[in-house]
Amino acid sequence: CYMSHLDLLRCVQRTLRRAGIPLSYSQGFNPHPILSFAQAMGVGLATTGDYFEVGLSEDMTPQAFVQSFNDAAAPGVHVLQARPAAEREKTIMSQVEAATYRFFIQEPLQAAFKPALADLMGAAEYIFEKKSKSGVKQENMKPRILQAEIQGDEIVAQLSCGNDNLQPKAFWQALCDLSGTQAKTKILRTELWRREKGVLAPLSQPPHLA
């Protein structure tokens, strides 16, 4: 959670090189490995559901890729599974439309956050300030909250990504404002999703291409 996105990118690049994985490189004066992540993570957020895609110059089985990477990986950064990209599959970054996050609630505050979440989910709209390159805008948060519920001492929420991205910290701040607290939380991203025929599917599954 203390690594920036660029730090993680460099970590994965170095691990791929140490593992001896046959990488494809970009063309031009300064070639670099063809590698990209599905959704950049902000500092302070942890994840067990991150995805990257990498170009290979030679074929490898998913099992061999996972084994080679993990044998060379630093503690805490390892591959859970791999799959080959489909022939006409879009880039992984362009597929992401939602993410699932878990927000830990400290025990003394759980009673305050339950009605706050009910108020947020029951409201027709919730206006928040979103920062962008063009400045600060007021936008409606509600269409970007796809699902949210309390599970034990956590709030599990599925939030929109991509063009209608909702930062998890903005969602948490809304709950803090509605509950009248300014509590801190640990945020864990557990999954990223694509949309197929109106239904969300995890990126770990190959897309169904017509």
Side-chain angles (χ1 to χ4, degrees):
C1 67
Y2 301 113
M3 295 178 69
S4 70
H5 175 65
L6 291 179
D7 286 337
L8 181 60
L9 181 64
R10 284 191 287 264
C11 176
V12 171
Q13 286 179 339
R14 291 167 181 169
T15 303
L16 291 167
R17 292 190 180 106
R18 283 198 304 271
I21 290 174
L23 302 174
S24 290
Y25 285 80
S26 62
Q27 303 297 315
F29 182 76
N30 186 25
H32 57 272
I34 298 175
L35 171 67
S36 61
F37 278 76
Q39 184 82 0
M41 287 284 293
V43 175
L45 307 180
T47 179
T48 57
D50 216 345
Y51 293 83
F52 69 86
E53 59 184 353
V54 60
L56 303 182
S57 60
E58 300 176 13
D59 288 340
M60 289 185 72
T61 65
Q63 295 79 8
F65 181 90
V66 171
Q67 186 68 50
S68 297
F69 186 98
N70 289 341
D71 286 347
V77 180
H78 58 277
V79 170
L80 301 176
Q81 66 181 91
R83 66 170 178 84
E87 184 176 351
R88 294 184 290 109
E89 186 172 346
K90 296 179 181 179
T91 63
I92 197 168
M93 187 180 298
S94 67
Q95 295 183 47
V96 178
E97 293 211 19
T100 299
Y101 299 92
R102 305 186 79 92
F103 302 81
F104 175 76
I105 314 171
Q106 298 177 18
E107 186 174 354
L109 300 173
Q110 291 177 12
F113 273 82
K114 186 174 183 179
L117 179 61
D119 289 344
L120 179 60
M121 297 305 292
E125 64 176 16
Y126 187 88
I127 303 301
F128 75 113
E129 292 186 345
K130 183 178 180 180
K131 295 180 180 179
S132 65
K133 294 180 180 179
S134 58
V136 179
K137 298 180 179 179
Q138 289 192 334
E139 298 186 5
N140 185 12
M141 180 182 292
K142 279 302 301 294
R144 299 169 183 177
I145 306 173
L146 306 182
Q147 294 181 20
E149 62 180 2
I150 292 180
Q151 296 183 5
D153 61 354
E154 295 178 326
I155 292 176
V156 180
Q158 189 179 57
L159 308 179
S160 178
C161 289
N163 294 332
D164 293 325
N165 183 54
L166 176 59
Q167 293 287 349
K169 292 181 180 179
F171 172 79
W172 179 255
Q173 186 60 53
L175 293 175
C176 287
D177 293 341
L178 289 169
S179 64
T181 69
Q182 290 302 317
K184 295 183 179 180
T185 186
K186 295 178 181 178
I187 303 176
L188 176 67
R189 189 174 73 190
T190 58
E191 187 58 272
L192 292 174
W193 305 81
R194 75 164 65 84
R195 189 176 296 277
E196 291 185 341
K197 298 180 180 179
V199 178
L200 289 172
L203 288 189
S204 56
Q205 296 180 3
H208 299 288
L209 301 175

